[in-house]
């Protein structure tokens, strides 16, 4: 029998219904792959063998009866940020030590309702704060990709590094992820996978550990564009439990794949041509432009003048919201408690021991910019700049642009424990320079693999769409995928 | 704007994070690097610009003011480090 873990979700879906193999066989193939690979890749922080087999058994019964859901029997990995009832949910933090929620997040509940099988919880940057998956309490995830002729361990990106590595390394058919500043799209680009951050409000945030509530949005990471469309359809919903969940019907995203893009207007923002950007990134971008042109799209130069202010504004807004959201971790209701001589010392000791360096740094920045006397200078200014960033996009879309094409990241995957990145937090933050604008404006963005760099590492392009126009992103990303081909790492693990 | 070690210690206190002298020294440098980076926002002319309150224009959803949940005391305290008879247990707050 062929290796079942190599099948896409769409392929596995057909073969399961045709009874070529059972959901139990597919799940067992993934569990075996995880058990063999996880000591090397560290993509999973918890593997739910028994639950996976029980869910697969239920799926097999449904498949036999012809009652299969949209994702019946498809084994998925779940980012540790999503609450899963009775299962490890710690946002890869020490402060949530031992936390097993008594409830299920809306996004994962939607997936299980459609028949998906849970393989386990995926590693991530602590509280989704990071771009390399190195801030995890459970240690870094190793990228399944290596440079040609090199054994050097590379990061898978972050914060959804476990999700991206598991999808790229065939340790799940697809994964849930979240994106606050680029945490789906940057790791997707670093691992040759497809990742989409839908419009803010498309997926319910209920039961997802909060980082920055006005920016956080869940989405899938998958092996190809079609699989990403299939997953998003199941993850998205209208949810009364999240007041920012948008009351709009969910389109059949898969149906958008294969639609011609002839006559579509593709905007190329000049501000994304950054100083010191590697030539390879520019060349990749030009290749993407050529592919879309060949497919009949009209290419137009556009200007998004406030682009360079998105990242600094983000580093006020996101830490401010995080400092408020993370106030709940106090050693009283869940997780770690470190005793002190009184209750305040207990809080302080618990938070000192429970949070890692990057999380503390962001809580401190957030507390400072919200503190008396600084609110107007920092937070209010950043929220005004955010209005201008969003207006830049609105102007482009009003002028008739259907979709915007940019690079996904300023470089390919870098090494674990990179000295430059570790010495300067701002350098690490620059990873999100092309993705963070999209979160600030609440728009949908997709990262799609478009080529390899000179050392054989994957690079991605990003497409940005109008609010709730994910269909155009899938449609256009598929054109890029058809032209670029798909990219898979050489197995070494 | 930049912060000194005393400010860092005060902010850590507000954030309820215990910091050692070494932590405070290190954080001062890190925080100043980030504050230096965000300084460029002051170049932007924001005259007459409304601060963003919501990325998608929407009316806040409201639900019926009725009880939809409850009788879950055991679930609520299930993950707490210390409990007694359905209550969270903390060190003495009032002498």
């Amino acid at each position: 029998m062929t290796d079942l873990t190599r099948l896409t979700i769409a392929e596995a879906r057909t073969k399961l219904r045709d009874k070529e193999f059972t959901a139990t066989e597919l799940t067992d193939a993934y569990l075996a792959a995880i058990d063999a690979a996880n000591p090397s890749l560290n993509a999973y922080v918890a593997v739910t063998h028994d639950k996976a087999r029980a869910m697969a058994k239920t799926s097999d019964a449904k498949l036999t009866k012809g009652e299969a859901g949209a994702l019946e029997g498809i084994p998925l990995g779940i980012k540790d940020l999503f609450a899963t009832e009775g299962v490890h949910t710690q946002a890869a933090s020490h402060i949530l030590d031992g936390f097993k929620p008594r409830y299920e997040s809306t996004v994962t509940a939607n997936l299980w309702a459609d028949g998906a099988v849970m393989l386990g919880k995926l590693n991530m940057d602590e509280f989704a704060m990071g771009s390399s998956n190195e801030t995890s309490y459970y240690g870094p995830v190793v990228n399944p990709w290596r440079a040609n002729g090199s054994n050097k361990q590379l990061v898978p990106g972050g914060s959804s590094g476990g999700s991206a590595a598991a999808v790229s390394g065939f340790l799940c058919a697809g994964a849930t992820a979240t994106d606050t500043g680029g945490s789906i799209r940057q790791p997707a680009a670093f691992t040759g996978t497809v990742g989409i951050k839908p419009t803010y409000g498309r997926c319910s945030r209920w039961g997802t550990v909060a980082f920055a509530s006005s920016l956080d949005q869940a989405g899938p990471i998958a092996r190809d564009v079609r699989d990403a469309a299939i997953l998003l359809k199941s993850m998205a919903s209208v949810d009364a439990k999240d007041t920012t969940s948008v009351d709009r019907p969910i389109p059949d995203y898969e149906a958008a794949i294969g639609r011609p893009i002839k006559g579509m207007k593709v905007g190329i923002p000049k501000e994304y041509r950054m100083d010191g950007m590697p030539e390879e990134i520019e060349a990749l971008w030009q290749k993407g432009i050529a592919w879309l042109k060949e497919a009949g799209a009209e290419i137009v130069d556009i200007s998004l003048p406030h682009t360079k202010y998105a990242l600094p504004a983000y580093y006020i807004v996101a830490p401010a919201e995080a400092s408020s959201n993370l106030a709940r971790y106090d050693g009283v209701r869940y997780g770690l408690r470190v005793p002190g001589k009184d209750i305040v010392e207990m809080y302080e000791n618990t938070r000192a021991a429970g949070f890692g360096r990057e999380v503390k740094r962001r809580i401190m920045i957030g507390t400072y910019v919200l503190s008396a006397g600084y609110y107007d200078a920092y937070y209010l200014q950043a929220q005004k700049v955010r209005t201008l960033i969003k207006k830049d996009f609105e102007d482009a879309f009003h002028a008739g642009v259907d979709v915007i094409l940019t690079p996904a990241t300023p470089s390919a995957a870098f090494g674990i424990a990179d000295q430059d990145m570790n010495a300067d937090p701002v350098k690490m933050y620059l990873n999100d320079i092309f993705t963070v604008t999209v979160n600030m404006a609440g728009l949908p963005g997709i990262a799609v693999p478009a080529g390899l760099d000179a050392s054989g590492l994957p690079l991605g392009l990003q497409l940005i769409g109008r609010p709730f126009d994910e269909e155009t992103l899938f449609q256009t990303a598929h054109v890029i995928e058809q032209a670029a081909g798909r990219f898979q790492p050489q197995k070494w693990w | 704007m930049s912060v000194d070690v005393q400010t860092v210690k005060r902010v850590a206190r507000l954030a309820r994070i215990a910091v050692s002298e070494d932590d405070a020294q290190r954080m001062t440098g890190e925080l100043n690097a980030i504050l230096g980076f965000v300084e460029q926002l002051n170049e932007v002319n924001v005259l007459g610009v409304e601060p963003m309150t919501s990325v998608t224009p929407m009316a806040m959803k409201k639900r019926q003011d009725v009880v939809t949940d409850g009788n879950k005391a055991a679930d609520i305290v299930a993950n707490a480090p210390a409990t007694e008879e359905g209550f969270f247990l903390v060190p003495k707050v009032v002498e």
Side-chain angles (χ1 to χ4, degrees):
Chain A
M1 188 150 50
T2 53
D3 183 354
L4 300 183
T5 65
R6 298 269 159 170
L7 300 172
T8 63
I9 292 174
E11 289 163 350
R13 180 177 63 180
T14 307
K15 289 174 190 288
L16 281 167
R17 285 176 194 185
D18 292 349
K19 312 278 189 301
E20 285 190 33
F21 47 82
T22 64
T24 299
E25 286 165 336
L26 182 61
T27 295
D28 281 336
Y30 275 110
L31 290 172
I34 295 167
D35 291 341
N38 213 43
S40 314
L41 299 180
N42 199 30
Y44 281 84
V45 294
V47 186
T48 51
H49 295 89
D50 294 346
K51 195 174 176 85
R53 290 194 179 107
M55 290 173 98
K57 204 173 157 194
T58 307
S59 286
D60 279 328
K62 287 202 172 162
L63 283 157
T64 306
K65 279 192 267 175
E67 293 169 4
L71 288 171
E72 202 65 62
I74 302 295
L76 303 179
I78 303 299
K79 190 178 183 181
D80 200 32
L81 206 63
F82 293 88
T84 43
E85 191 175 354
V87 174
H88 188 288
T89 300
Q90 289 186 213
S93 178
H94 186 36
I95 207 155
L96 272 166
D97 220 21
F99 182 60
K100 291 192 170 130
R102 294 296 183 102
Y103 54 90
E104 188 78 28
S105 80
T106 298
V107 163
T108 49
N110 290 343
L111 292 171
W112 315 144
D114 276 350
V117 170
M118 174 161 70
L119 294 168
K121 299 303 284 288
L122 294 163
N123 206 342
M124 55 181 283
D125 278 300
E126 184 182 4
F127 283 106
M129 297 178 191
S131 302
S132 66
N133 213 114
E134 294 172 290
T135 72
S136 168
Y137 178 66
Y138 298 93
V141 174
V142 178
N143 193 330
W145 286 84
R146 287 171 163 181
N148 291 333
S150 167
N151 288 333
K152 188 179 163 185
Q153 294 193 329
L154 303 176
V155 304
S159 70
S160 308
S163 305
V167 171
S168 165
F170 307 100
L171 306 186
C172 59
T176 65
T178 61
D179 190 316
T180 304
S183 285
I184 289 175
R185 292 158 288 156
Q186 184 252 17
F190 277 14
T191 56
T193 55
V194 177
I196 181 166
K197 181 205 91 75
T199 314
Y200 184 80
R202 182 67 290 179
C203 290
S204 168
R205 291 180 297 109
W206 196 83
T208 311
V209 176
F211 161 14
S213 306
S214 77
L215 302 160
D216 296 344
Q217 188 54 207
I221 292 181
R223 304 234 187 93
D224 66 11
V225 175
R226 182 177 298 275
D227 282 6
I230 294 170
L231 287 171
L232 182 59
K233 172 101 165 73
S234 286
M235 290 170 72
S237 63
V238 181
D239 185 7
K241 289 188 279 193
D242 173 4
T243 54
T244 61
S245 151
V246 169
D247 199 357
R248 290 172 73 116
I250 296 129
D252 180 5
Y253 297 120
E254 211 184 336
I257 292 169
R259 280 184 203 151
I261 62 159
K262 195 166 162 38
M264 189 182 280
K265 230 179 195 183
V266 179
I268 310 298
K270 64 170 196 259
E271 290 81 6
Y272 282 63
R273 196 158 284 121
M274 299 282 176
D275 288 342
M277 189 165 91
E279 258 174 53
E280 283 176 315
I281 303 287
E282 174 67 33
L284 183 86
W285 198 6
Q286 292 305 326
K287 235 167 38 179
I289 292 170
W291 289 330
L292 297 182
K293 213 179 203 166
E294 255 164 59
E298 183 194 342
I299 308 296
V300 288
D301 288 325
I302 60 167
S303 174
L304 303 168
H306 295 91
T307 297
K308 72 175 254 205
Y309 300 110
L311 201 60
Y314 175 86
Y315 274 96
I316 292 174
V317 174
E321 294 183 13
S323 74
S324 167
N325 275 327
L326 272 61
R328 73 190 66 176
Y329 305 104
D330 56 6
V332 174
R333 285 158 294 168
Y334 25 64
L336 186 73
R337 172 182 290 192
V338 179
K341 68 176 184 327
D342 55 21
I343 193 163
V344 172
E345 199 180 277
M346 187 273 281
Y347 295 150
E348 292 185 340
N349 290 346
T350 299
R351 290 164 65 81
F355 292 133
R357 270 192 186 192
E358 181 63 27
V359 173
K360 283 183 200 168
R361 195 179 289 154
R362 298 206 197 183
I363 292 174
M364 293 283 287
I365 284 284
T367 306
Y368 178 70
V369 301
L370 292 178
S371 65
Y374 296 105
Y375 181 87
D376 286 5
Y378 287 112
Y379 191 71
L380 206 63
Q381 178 79 5
Q383 289 291 50
K384 286 178 180 172
V385 171
R386 198 172 166 191
T387 299
L388 293 172
I389 292 163
K390 183 164 180 255
K391 189 177 172 295
D392 286 352
F393 284 107
E394 284 168 353
D395 290 347
F397 291 131
H398 281 151
V401 166
D402 296 299
V403 67
I404 295 167
L405 178 73
T406 77
T409 57
S411 74
F414 47 88
I416 287 178
D418 183 277
Q419 284 191 343
D420 281 359
M421 301 270 183
N422 281 336
D424 180 0
V426 173
K427 201 157 256 171
M428 183 68 88
Y429 298 168
L430 289 172
N431 268 287
D432 290 337
I433 193 128
F434 298 137
T435 49
V436 76
T437 49
V438 175
N439 301 77
M440 293 304 270
L443 300 172
I446 192 168
V448 58
L452 302 176
D453 74 358
S455 60
L457 295 175
L459 295 170
L461 287 170
Q462 174 180 237
L463 292 158
I464 304 167
R466 297 166 186 263
F468 300 102
D469 190 12
E470 284 81 5
E471 286 167 285
T472 296
L473 296 188
F474 288 122
Q475 179 187 356
T476 316
H478 186 249
V479 172
I480 293 175
E481 183 177 63
Q482 292 291 104
R486 278 177 53 197
F487 304 94
Q488 297 185 346
Q490 290 292 324
K491 192 170 175 208
W492 54 264
W493 57 88
Chain B
M1 274 179 267
S2 65
V3 293
D4 57 18
V5 146
Q6 284 317 311
T7 308
V8 167
K9 287 182 185 167
R10 184 177 63 82
V11 171
R13 184 81 184 166
L14 286 173
R16 295 282 185 261
I17 297 173
V19 291
S20 66
E21 194 58 42
D22 283 356
D23 290 339
Q25 293 286 351
R26 179 175 47 76
M27 283 178 175
T28 305
E30 290 171 357
L31 264 51
N32 281 329
I34 298 165
L35 293 172
F37 174 65
V38 303
E39 193 103 317
Q40 52 182 307
L41 289 180
N42 295 326
E43 302 163 21
V44 185
N45 181 2
V46 294
L47 203 74
V49 176
E50 285 293 312
M52 182 179 282
T53 49
S54 170
V55 284
T56 31
M58 54 158 83
M60 167 96 100
K61 277 195 256 179
K62 297 168 193 77
R63 62 170 178 83
Q64 291 296 311
D65 187 14
V66 292
V67 176
T68 58
D69 209 348
N71 295 320
K72 288 186 174 168
D75 283 345
I76 288 164
V77 297
N79 277 288
T83 59
E84 203 175 288
E85 293 171 20
F87 288 90
F88 297 116
L89 215 55
V90 296
K92 197 151 75 175
V93 182
V94 184
E95 285 301 321

